[in-house]
Amino acid sequence: MEIKVRNVDPVAVKKIDELAKEKGISRQEFFKGQMEMLAFFREQTTRELHLENLKGIMEVDSVKYAREEVEKRIRKQRQKRLNRAYFKE
């Protein structure tokens, strides 16, 4: 699909040309890449936020699991002590 952009500030065009030259690509290729990135930026950002949320959930679950395991061990140790104390009497 073809897109035309009019009335762009000449200073901006010069800067765009410089950026494209640094990358070794044409102005057209530079614009195409920038427009495609802009088009998918929100989607990508949303996806990244979703992944970060999932990581947070997994971390919370890991901490919860670890805490439950520690609590189980503590209960077992307490029960052993109680049993030893009970059978000593």
Side-chain angles (χ1 to χ4, degrees):
M1 174 175 240
E2 189 173 316
I3 298 174
K4 292 183 182 182
V5 180
R6 294 186 176 93
N7 302 319
V8 179
D9 184 319
V11 175
V13 173
K14 183 176 180 185
K15 183 64 178 170
I16 290 166
D17 287 344
E18 290 171 4
L19 292 168
K21 185 176 182 180
E22 286 175 14
K23 293 183 177 230
I25 58 177
S26 68
R27 181 192 299 162
Q28 188 275 331
E29 288 174 298
F30 181 82
F31 266 124
K32 180 180 179 290
Q34 293 296 307
M35 291 187 71
E36 288 172 349
M37 186 170 45
L38 178 63
F40 296 108
F41 178 77
R42 186 175 193 176
E43 182 179 314
Q44 182 66 25
T45 302
T46 301
R47 187 177 300 127
E48 288 172 2
L49 289 173
H50 183 67
L51 286 173
E52 288 300 317
N53 288 338
L54 288 175
K55 286 180 188 177
I57 290 168
M58 290 173 64
E59 288 173 4
V60 168
D61 284 346
S62 295
V63 169
K64 182 179 175 186
Y65 175 78
R67 189 186 82 223
E68 289 170 353
E69 289 299 310
V70 168
E71 288 173 352
K72 283 180 190 176
R73 290 179 185 177
I74 290 170
R75 282 194 298 273
K76 283 181 183 179
Q77 290 298 320
R78 284 182 183 159
Q79 190 61 43
K80 285 181 184 178
R81 286 184 196 146
L82 286 173
N83 289 342
R84 277 187 258 155
Y86 179 77
F87 290 113
K88 282 184 178 180
E89 296 177 358

